Amino acid sequence: MMNNANEISRQTKLYGYIGEHAGSCRFSAVINKIFKENADDAMMIPMNIREDDLYFTVSNIRQSHLHGVIISNEYTQSVVEILDEASELVKRSGMCDIIYKKEEKLRGDIFSLRALNEHLKDLLATKIAIIGVNSYAKAFAFLACGFSVSYFHENLEELMTFTKEVDILDADLNRLAPRMSVDLSGYDAVLDFSDIQNFEMIEKLPKHNLDMKNDKQFSALKQRVHELGVSYTSTDMIIDKFCVAAYRAIKK
């Protein structure tokens, strides 16, 4: 097990947390605490990586001492092309947030959306509004068993294409665009997976409003939430839950 000085031995399993601001994020510290509580001889190292260096860094994991890496949300789509193998969820959604190394091959999977699902269930949220059609929205749609989900996007044709890609029949599709007047207060939670920069068209929001942004990133949802006086949750605010899910994925 790790000693009190957190010293690394040759037997210590090393993992990385890759992000633009990985060093200022609590993720590595929280998961290292979990390692210690479970007497695991393992350590996660924060790795501040610029976008220009991402391909080189991840590719070189094959020959490194790392057993795997967690990918911060800003790079979850970019790393997919570097993988040697991928889970079906990664292939169909186009995102990856955890990479395992085995015999110099990199295999990608997803853990964060499972953690988000668990968090929503803890909130007793069942009626969910999803904004956007990106890879996070796709991954959530594949894992959304037990939720009643409505989908919102600026372009209805893109929404229809999205539902075909995720095999959803008779989906509740809604347009969300400037100069509209939209009331989302009838939902238990709103999940923003979009690139929309202004949510002035939303006049009411529910109690729970979440996105996959960290506190270093601009969040249009956070801005609108503050204007309307309701609550907002970033990934940093529930990072302990994401770390527990990442730990389970690593140990699995």
Side-chain angles (χ1 to χ4, degrees):
M1 61 176 289
M2 297 295 295
N3 60 29
N4 291 331
N6 291 332
E7 293 178 352
I8 299 174
S9 70
R10 290 187 178 183
Q11 287 74 42
T12 303
K13 289 186 176 181
L14 298 178
Y15 298 90
Y17 174 64
I18 291 179
E20 186 177 3
H21 305 287
S24 60
C25 177
R26 292 176 52 238
F27 195 99
S28 297
V30 173
I31 205 164
N32 283 333
K33 182 181 178 182
I34 297 173
F35 283 144
K36 181 173 287 188
E37 289 172 348
N38 288 275
D40 295 320
D41 190 0
M43 178 176 282
M44 182 161 287
I45 303 167
M47 301 170 66
N48 290 338
I49 304 298
R50 298 178 306 175
E51 187 173 1
D52 292 346
D53 298 324
L54 182 66
Y55 188 94
F56 175 81
T57 301
V58 175
S59 296
N60 281 345
I61 291 171
R62 295 181 179 90
Q63 287 79 43
S64 74
H65 294 293
L66 294 175
H67 283 70
V69 290
I70 302 295
I71 306 296
S72 184
N73 69 315
E74 66 267 25
Y75 295 145
T76 54
Q77 295 177 67
S78 303
V79 298
V80 173
E81 64 175 315
I82 313 172
L83 302 173
D84 300 302
E85 302 172 356
S87 69
E88 193 64 27
L89 188 56
V90 169
K91 292 176 182 177
R92 299 196 66 185
S93 67
M95 66 164 284
C96 164
D97 57 25
I98 184 168
I99 299 176
Y100 306 93
K101 185 184 74 173
K102 186 175 181 180
E103 297 177 353
E104 296 191 1
K105 287 188 176 182
L106 304 180
R107 184 180 190 279
D109 205 346
I110 297 172
F111 77 92
S112 62
L113 274 302
R114 294 184 172 91
L116 181 60
N117 277 15
E118 289 183 14
H119 179 66
L120 290 169
K121 290 174 182 176
D122 289 343
L123 296 176
L124 302 180
T126 57
K127 191 177 181 182
I128 311 294
I130 290 183
I131 304 173
V133 295
N134 68 5
S135 58
Y136 274 96
K138 289 180 180 178
F140 185 87
F142 287 126
L143 297 170
C145 181
F147 296 114
S148 173
V149 182
S150 299
Y151 297 90
F152 292 79
H153 188 54
E154 297 163 291
N155 187 304
L156 283 179
E157 288 186 8
E158 290 182 17
L159 255 183
M160 293 176 68
T161 300
F162 168 86
T163 56
K164 290 179 181 178
E165 291 175 346
V166 296
D167 299 327
I168 299 176
L169 300 175
D170 301 320
D172 180 17
L173 306 182
N174 305 271
R175 188 163 179 261
L176 186 72
R179 295 183 295 279
M180 294 181 68
S181 177
V182 180
D183 181 354
L184 299 180
S185 61
Y187 293 92
D188 297 321
V190 167
L191 304 180
D192 176 29
F193 298 132
S194 74
D195 295 321
I196 296 175
Q197 297 296 298
N198 191 312
F199 283 122
E200 288 184 352
M201 77 290 286
I202 300 178
E203 294 189 345
K204 293 183 179 179
L205 285 163
K207 181 178 180 180
H208 304 294
N209 303 279
L210 310 91
D211 59 26
M212 296 302 288
K213 305 285 180 63
N214 60 53
D215 291 343
K216 294 282 187 181
Q217 295 173 292
F218 170 75
S219 169
L221 180 65
K222 179 180 180 180
Q223 185 177 58
R224 190 57 175 156
V225 156
H226 287 170
E227 292 167 353
L228 296 176
V230 289
S231 67
Y232 163 77
T233 302
S234 67
T235 55
D236 286 343
M237 295 171 71
I238 51 173
I239 199 165
D240 288 27
K241 292 189 176 182
F242 285 109
C243 286
V244 168
Y247 177 77
R248 290 174 183 163
I250 287 170
K251 295 296 288 185
K252 181 181 68 175

